[in-house]
Amino acid sequence: MKKFFYHNSLSIVFLLLFIGAFIGQIFFGIEEYNKELLESGGHAVTMSNYLTTGHFIEATFENWESEFLQMALLVWLTIFLKQKGSSESKGFDGDEEVDREPSPNRKGAPWPVKKGGVWLWLYKNSLTISLFLLFFASFVLHFYGSLKDENTANVLKGNPQLSLVDYLGESRFWFESFQNWQSEFLSVFAIIVLSIFLRQKGSSQSKPVDAPHSETGE
């Protein structure tokens, strides 16, 4: 068990941080939502009911959407684009280990590599495909939650409910998306540029402390 935690400590810590933050979101989210409902003349909801509200669904998947978009674009664009001096970029001199064609004869090669054909093509692009699919799923759920929350507010105000098509033309959903996308793109820009000049000893996201600023990659 000790060996398992040692080998998976990075993912375990981030999973625990996610669970803790998710619980915090739910705890404070239902408090905020019930406050809004009571101020609008509605009735407070229970925890189980809150988890099906547009307020919870929108808030959750609005953030997931931008995170998966950021990661998908970073993985995909670093295939073609480079940044001199950044630890997040491939180097400029020739191909690297990640560029070589996979060999089915390599010891421990995953089964799609040994199978070849369409399975190999899918596996060669599986990380990017998976991240874009997660983005698309989160985008759809964000839209659903945002529309549901908007219509809940409309009911409380006595206004007509919006259809799916009508809501696509509303500014709220797109504002929610773009305000998150811009922050994620800024954070990626920051790590790409800051890693040219700044270091963190021991981190896989940093170049060696004594590496020149002009050196690209780890």
Side-chain angles (χ1 to χ4, degrees), residues 73-83 90 99 125:
L73 287 175
L74 181 61
V75 170
W76 180 59
L77 290 176
T78 51
I79 300 172
F80 316 102
L81 307 180
K82 300 181 180 182
Q83 174 59 55
K90 293 190 295 184
D99 296 313
N125 300 281

Side-chain angles (χ1 to χ4, degrees), residues 5-43:
F5 282 108
Y6 179 71
H7 286 173
N8 299 279
S9 56
L10 186 59
S11 59
I12 289 171
V13 167
F14 270 98
L15 178 61
L16 292 175
L17 287 170
F18 162 72
I19 293 172
F22 198 46
I23 291 172
Q25 175 195 329
I26 294 171
F27 178 80
F28 291 105
I30 188 172
E31 186 175 313
E32 183 65 20
Y33 185 59
N34 281 333
K35 187 191 303 181
E36 293 175 4
L37 286 177
L38 293 173
E39 289 175 351
S40 301
H43 301 285

Side-chain angles (χ1 to χ4, degrees), residues 46-181:
T46 62
M47 177 68 73
S48 59
N49 287 333
Y50 175 67
L51 296 179
T52 64
T53 63
H55 187 274
F56 170 74
I57 296 170
E58 178 271 317
T60 299
F61 291 102
E62 174 188 344
N63 287 295
W64 291 18
E65 164 197 316
S66 59
E67 295 294 342
F68 289 129
L69 177 62
Q70 173 218 93
M71 290 187 291
L73 287 175
L74 181 61
V75 170
W76 180 59
L77 290 176
T78 51
I79 300 172
F80 316 102
L81 307 180
K82 300 181 180 182
Q83 174 59 55
K84 184 173 177 59
S86 176
S87 64
E88 301 297 312
S89 171
K90 293 190 295 184
F92 288 80
D93 300 323
D95 292 338
E96 299 191 1
E97 179 70 4
V98 294
D99 296 313
R100 68 173 178 78
E101 285 300 314
S103 170
N105 300 317
R106 184 171 182 175
K107 183 179 178 181
W111 73 264
V113 177
K114 296 178 180 179
K115 189 74 173 176
V118 66
W119 296 109
L120 175 57
W121 182 89
L122 286 171
Y123 192 65
K124 285 166 64 175
N125 300 281
S126 57
L127 182 57
T128 300
I129 292 171
S130 296
L131 289 170
F132 273 118
L133 287 175
L134 287 168
F135 159 70
F136 180 73
S138 298
F139 183 86
V140 171
L141 287 167
H142 167 209
F143 179 81
Y144 167 75
S146 186
L147 173 59
K148 189 174 183 179
D149 190 50
E150 179 72 11
N151 279 332
T152 297
N154 285 334
V155 168
L156 290 171
K157 295 174 183 176
N159 297 330
Q161 296 191 49
L162 297 173
S163 68
L164 185 150
V165 175
D166 290 336
Y167 194 60
L168 276 173
E170 293 290 314
S171 60
R172 174 184 167 178
F173 170 72
W174 297 109
F175 169 70
E176 290 169 352
S177 290
F178 280 106
Q179 71 167 337
N180 279 278
W181 295 358

